[in-house]
Amino acid sequence: MPGSKLPIYTAFAANLAIAVIKLTAAAITGSSAMVSEGIHSLVDSSNEVLLLIGLHKSKKAPDQKRPFGYGKELYFWSFVVALLFFVLGGTMSVYEGIRHLIEPEKITSPVWNYIVLSLALVFDGYSLYTAVRIFNQQRGSTPFWQAIKVSKDPSSFVVLFEDMADVIGILIAATGIILSHIFNNPYIDGIASILIGLLLMLVTIFLVRQSRNLLMGESISAEELNKLVPLIEHNQNVSSADARLSMYLGPEEVILLIKIKFKNDLPSQKIVESIGSIRQAIQAEHPDYKHIHFEPV
């Protein structure tokens, strides 16, 4: 279901608990990669809060100031989340790694790191499982990466990519800590921290691109728009139709402008009745087309 909050709640609970555990372990062991992972989890927790704010604000009813509603609030807040992912997650992790390379500090009590990373992998793995399960329900038979590309619901794909980055980041941190301990080389831990930061930056590039496209106003696919024309022209009073202007206002809210050429000498009452009939036919197949406007030509 678009706009499902379950993955967000699951990710928030997991990330908040893990952040506390990771940062506590980092203070005990002195691991740079663990600090990066702790920062990563804190950023993820704040991101989930922002997504929930976006979902709440996007449900606000239209008013005089926003006659088409507040659906794009979700797109705005998902864009903010992507920026925070870069600024607070990526850059701080890279900074922490560079600082550790300049002033290397040997890891003490690595067992704590192993315990924490194992717990984090369980929690984040479950959160990722939840996000993937919900996303699979939404995409249906659409191939996974195509569904990601065309998704208009940032509350699903943002959490999904956050959780993926979480799991991969944990594996990088674990590898860095293990190798640093085996070879007694603190520089490896710093390199792992930098790699985690670069991972977050790569995820950010995708999230910013997706969120920007939605915020700027994406159209319905050309294939879907082309299917509307026969549906409109099926009306006996329509001579031809053109439906090329559309925009997503939210995951389940579309504005559509249709240009229609009615048959000659058609009474105005018939035109009004035809427009009403066409609107009902379109919304019966596409209930997310909330705002349909007609321009007789």
Side-chain angles (χ1 to χ4, degrees):
M1 180 177 65
S4 174
K5 296 181 181 179
L6 179 59
I8 302 178
Y9 287 136
T10 303
F12 174 75
N15 286 322
L16 188 61
I18 293 169
V20 175
I21 297 172
K22 286 177 179 177
L23 292 175
T24 301
I28 295 173
T29 64
S31 169
S32 173
M34 189 61 73
V35 172
S36 295
E37 275 298 294
I39 293 171
H40 181 182
S41 295
L42 277 178
V43 172
D44 284 353
S45 299
S46 63
N47 286 347
E48 267 80 70
V49 172
L50 294 179
L51 284 176
L52 288 171
I53 291 174
L55 279 170
H56 175 72
K57 288 181 173 291
S58 68
K59 302 300 182 182
K60 187 176 178 181
D63 53 28
Q64 187 174 4
K65 188 177 181 181
R66 297 284 188 272
F68 291 110
Y70 289 77
K72 285 198 173 186
E73 284 277 6
L74 178 58
Y75 296 157
F76 169 76
W77 288 104
S78 66
F79 187 76
V80 172
V81 164
L83 294 179
L84 288 178
F85 210 65
F86 179 86
V87 175
L88 297 182
T91 57
M92 289 185 70
S93 294
V94 171
Y95 167 78
E96 180 62 27
I98 294 174
R99 187 188 67 80
H100 201 74
L101 292 178
I102 296 173
E103 301 175 1
E105 180 182 349
K106 289 186 178 181
I107 298 175
T108 60
S109 304
V111 174
W112 281 101
N113 285 328
Y114 302 147
I115 294 173
V116 169
L117 289 175
S118 297
L119 291 173
L121 188 59
V122 171
F123 289 134
D124 280 330
Y126 178 74
S127 180
L128 176 59
Y129 165 77
T130 303
V132 170
R133 181 170 58 83
I134 297 296
F135 187 76
N136 284 340
Q137 291 175 0
Q138 294 178 4
R139 71 184 178 90
S141 60
T142 306
F144 185 84
W145 287 107
Q146 183 182 348
I148 290 286
K149 185 177 179 180
V150 302
S151 175
K152 302 300 182 289
D153 184 11
S155 66
S156 62
F157 68 73
V158 169
V159 174
L160 180 62
F161 272 79
E162 278 187 0
D163 288 341
M164 286 181 178
D166 286 342
V167 172
I168 296 173
I170 290 170
L171 297 177
I172 293 174
T175 302
I177 292 170
I178 291 171
L179 293 178
S180 182
H181 183 221
I182 291 175
F183 295 104
N184 195 28
N185 186 342
Y187 291 103
I188 298 176
D189 186 46
I191 293 173
S193 180
I194 293 174
L195 290 176
I196 292 170
L198 294 177
L199 168 68
L200 300 184
M201 290 179 180
L202 286 175
V203 172
T204 296
I205 292 172
F206 172 80
L207 294 180
V208 166
R209 183 176 178 275
Q210 289 291 95
S211 299
R212 176 186 176 275
N213 290 340
L214 293 172
L215 193 58
M216 294 294 290
E218 279 197 354
S219 171
I220 306 167
S221 68
E223 180 182 1
E224 190 171 324
L225 285 172
N226 290 335
K227 290 180 179 179
L228 289 176
V229 174
L231 179 64
I232 299 168
E233 292 180 346
H234 181 71
N235 187 285
Q236 61 181 357
N237 295 321
V238 174
S239 176
S240 63
D242 182 10
R244 286 182 293 178
L245 299 177
S246 65
M247 184 171 63
Y248 275 92
L249 301 176
E252 298 178 281
E253 189 172 2
V254 172
I255 182 171
L256 174 66
L257 174 63
I258 300 173
K259 295 183 179 181
I260 298 182
K261 183 177 181 180
F262 289 97
K263 293 181 178 179
N264 294 333
D265 302 325
L266 195 67
S268 57
Q269 182 62 31
K270 283 290 183 181
I271 293 177
V272 172
E273 292 175 358
S274 297
I275 287 176
S277 176
I278 293 169
R279 176 181 281 109
Q280 289 180 352
I282 292 174
Q283 290 182 332
E285 292 194 13
H286 304 280
D288 52 337
Y289 291 9
K290 306 294 186 186
H291 310 280
I292 304 177
H293 300 273
F294 297 88
E295 182 181 335
V297 295

